[in-house]
Amino acid sequence: MIEELNVKLVTEIPGPKSKEILEERKKYVADGVSVSTDIAIEEAKGALIKDVDGNVFLDFAAAIGVQNVGHCDEEVVDALKDQIEKYIHPGYNVVTYESYGALAKKLTEITVGDYEKKVMFANSGAEAVENAIKLARTYTKKTGILSATGSFHGRTNMTMSITSKYKPYKNGFGPFAPETYKFDFPYAYRAPFGVSEEAYVDGCIDSLKGMLKTTLSPDMIACLIVEPLQGEGGFVVPHARYMKELQKLCNENNIVFIVDEIQAGFGRTGKMFAYEHYGIEPDLITLSKSIAAGIPLSAVVGKKEIMDSACVGGIGGTYSGSPLGCIAALKVIEKIEKENLCEKSQKLGEYMHKRLSDMREKYDVIGDVRGLGSMMAIELVKDKETKEPASALVKEIIGKCYKKGVIFLNAGILGNVIRFLPPLVMTDEQVKYGMDVLEESIYECL
């Protein structure tokens, strides 16, 4: 059990036991499986990770946004223990168990949208996206898919095809799925020089409308999928009017409007789901990551008529909606609601935003500070006028923070963004420590 309340380093990083385990990893694990640190974990609790050498790290990665309620929450662990003694996985396609329906019901209640909803479960975020696309196609009887520049939706053939960043996600893996098309996502910090944000949004929308009249036709497009706040793309926050215009365009052209909440959902942005910031009502919503505190689970939630459009047996899978995942997810949602973690996320974000904004005033390498709730990021540049990306500096700063016991991740199409995904249970002392280490490391790297 981790007794420390914050970072504690007792060996060099990595320590001897971690080095030994990593050598085994290099020998037996495929090189294409990436890893951001060179420590081996012993245990984790809340916002802390303890390695096999006894070093304690502060975790601003949260398994890339999976541990919103914190590592090994006691209520989640107890619920899983109770479930595992009853049955582990009889298969929902064989027998019905109560937790699947209970979670489906709960998700229809907490997702915004004034219409009757239904739910299906899968295992990963990519699977949720795949199934949302399948449902959109069978409902509309159309095949084309629109996705945004800068987007990330997964690593399967279809989700890789609608993802923007080529390397590493698509490198060497073609050919890709056909009938996928990109539309412009407004990246306000990198808007054309002299163009206002309002004009930039108008331009992006006009470009999409023009594309649907020229190179494409609404008659061929089944769905449009968009992140409410881009994750791997660099935590880029769109204008609310842009999101509303996307929904309007979809509604007018019988195009299923899919919002991908996989990284941004479950309290991360200060609301249960990020799309609530924009006053929109998606037709389908894809969920995963923090839904079940690390138990593999994903979901598609949406309009009943769309969800029911697939033939019996057309969606689902052997492990989809496992009892362990459903039980964990019910506890996760209960904890978010009971402990007001959306409000906590907002307060965490406000503190980080102030600290990061103060750093931007001190250090010319920080070009932009952005985000919603505790889903925050800074974009580093070599020059604030030219905005040339400083990707090497990002790696250097993250590496220095890590050696001081604080784990951060990078992001961004240009690789020059540091993103912050702290568990929402992170204490005030911990987040202050993390921001202090970040600032100290930035100063040391300049």
Side-chain angles (χ1 to χ4, degrees):
M1 177 67 69
I2 296 178
E3 297 179 353
E4 292 82 2
L5 299 178
N6 215 325
V7 172
K8 181 181 179 181
L9 302 180
V10 296
T11 72
E12 63 176 355
I13 307 300
K17 292 181 180 178
S18 284
K19 287 180 180 177
E20 184 178 335
I21 293 171
L22 260 75
E23 281 304 310
E24 189 173 69
R25 174 193 172 105
K26 290 176 184 177
K27 186 175 181 180
Y28 296 110
V29 178
D31 289 348
V33 180
S34 66
V35 64
S36 299
T37 69
D38 52 8
I39 57 169
I41 185 172
E42 176 76 18
E43 56 182 314
K45 185 72 176 175
L48 299 175
I49 289 175
K50 191 170 190 175
D51 74 7
V52 291
D53 294 288
N55 300 296
V56 178
F57 296 80
L58 185 56
D59 182 16
F60 277 83
I64 318 180
V66 169
Q67 299 294 350
N68 285 4
V69 301
H71 293 280
C72 291
D73 174 74
E74 289 181 10
E75 291 182 35
V76 174
V77 171
D78 288 343
L80 288 169
K81 286 179 179 177
D82 289 343
Q83 177 58 50
I84 208 166
E85 290 178 350
K86 296 174 183 176
Y87 52 87
I88 295 175
H89 192 71
Y92 198 70
N93 301 114
V94 180
V95 296
T96 297
Y97 40 88
E98 185 180 8
S99 57
Y100 191 114
L103 179 58
K105 180 176 183 289
K106 187 64 177 177
L107 290 175
T108 66
E109 293 170 348
I110 65 174
T111 49
V112 176
D114 188 20
Y115 42 78
E116 193 173 355
K117 305 179 195 130
K118 281 195 172 183
V119 179
M120 68 148 294
F121 295 114
N123 303 292
S124 68
E127 273 192 76
V129 172
E130 290 263 1
N131 279 282
I133 290 169
K134 285 163 63 177
L135 289 164
R137 281 175 161 173
T138 190
Y139 177 71
T140 62
K141 306 295 188 272
K142 298 185 286 184
T143 55
I145 305 157
L146 288 166
S147 65
T149 56
S151 62
F152 177 86
H153 297 291
R155 299 171 189 264
T156 61
N157 186 258
M158 172 57 75
T159 56
M160 181 174 57
S161 300
I162 62 173
T163 288
S164 271
K165 195 171 184 178
Y166 183 81
K167 195 171 184 179
Y169 305 122
K170 303 163 85 165
N171 186 38
F173 298 140
F176 305 110
E179 296 194 70
T180 63
Y181 311 96
K182 286 284 183 294
F183 62 91
D184 292 332
F185 190 91
Y187 190 162
Y189 179 65
R190 294 193 172 274
F193 182 75
V195 176
S196 69
E197 185 176 3
E198 290 286 337
Y200 185 30
V201 168
D202 288 340
C204 289
I205 292 296
D206 288 344
S207 174
L208 176 55
K209 288 179 178 178
M211 186 165 65
L212 288 172
K213 290 179 180 178
T214 54
T215 57
L216 303 176
S217 167
D219 295 338
M220 61 186 287
I221 303 299
C223 60
L224 179 152
I225 184 167
V226 66
E227 294 165 276
L229 188 164
Q230 288 193 335
E232 302 301 312
F235 286 22
V236 181
V237 184
H239 195 286
R241 185 165 59 82
Y242 173 82
M243 297 297 284
K244 289 177 180 177
E245 286 292 326
L246 289 184
Q247 179 176 357
K248 181 181 177 184
L249 192 64
C250 288
N251 291 347
E252 291 173 347
N253 292 284
N254 187 34
I255 296 171
V256 175
F257 183 42
I258 305 172
V259 172
D260 182 344
E261 286 274 350
I262 289 163
Q263 189 165 164
F266 294 98
R268 174 54 57 191
T269 66
K271 295 185 181 292
M272 185 64 81
F273 301 109
Y275 73 85
E276 297 175 48
H277 289 279
Y278 308 118
I280 58 175
E281 294 186 355
D283 297 318
L284 298 177
I285 308 154
T286 57
L287 308 170
S288 191
K289 287 194 179 285
S290 270
I291 191 173
I295 303 297
L297 183 70
S298 64
V300 183
V301 184
K303 290 182 175 178
K304 177 182 181 297
E305 60 269 27
I306 302 175
M307 297 299 297
D308 281 344
S309 63
C311 65
V312 174
I315 54 177
T318 302
Y319 294 106
S320 298
S322 76
L324 296 178
C326 292
I327 287 293
L330 286 165
K331 275 297 175 184
V332 164
I333 295 168
E334 179 185 312
K335 183 178 179 70
I336 291 172
E337 293 179 331
K338 181 175 64 177
E339 299 185 12
N340 298 317
L341 291 186
C342 289
E343 182 180 343
K344 176 71 186 299
S345 176
Q346 188 62 38
K347 289 180 179 178
L348 262 175
E350 288 170 0
Y351 176 79
M352 288 192 295
H353 190 275
K354 184 180 186 310
R355 288 294 307 272
L356 296 169
S357 296
D358 288 345
M359 291 181 214
R360 179 176 55 186
E361 295 302 311
K362 294 181 185 177
Y363 308 108
D364 287 341
V365 293
I366 301 178
D368 194 29
V369 176
R370 56 178 179 261
L372 293 172
S374 62
M375 193 169 178
M376 298 295 301
I378 54 175
E379 181 162 352
L380 272 62
V381 293
K382 295 179 180 179
D383 183 281
K384 283 189 176 181
E385 293 298 319
T386 65
K387 300 180 182 179
E388 183 182 352
S391 54
L393 181 60
V394 163
K395 290 181 180 179
E396 185 181 355
I397 292 169
I398 288 175
K400 193 169 285 287
C401 289
Y402 164 61
K403 295 296 184 182
K404 296 173 186 286
V406 182
I407 298 172
F408 296 119
L409 297 176
N410 71 343
I413 289 293
L414 302 171
N416 65 323
V417 173
I418 300 177
R419 56 175 156 175
F420 307 97
L421 291 164
L424 306 184
V425 297
M426 184 174 280
T427 67
D428 293 345
E429 292 78 13
Q430 288 170 342
V431 69
K432 180 182 183 301
Y433 186 92
M435 292 297 102
D436 287 347
V437 167
L438 175 68
E439 181 164 9
E440 181 181 275
S441 299
I442 292 172
Y443 177 79
E444 290 175 358
C445 288
L446 297 181

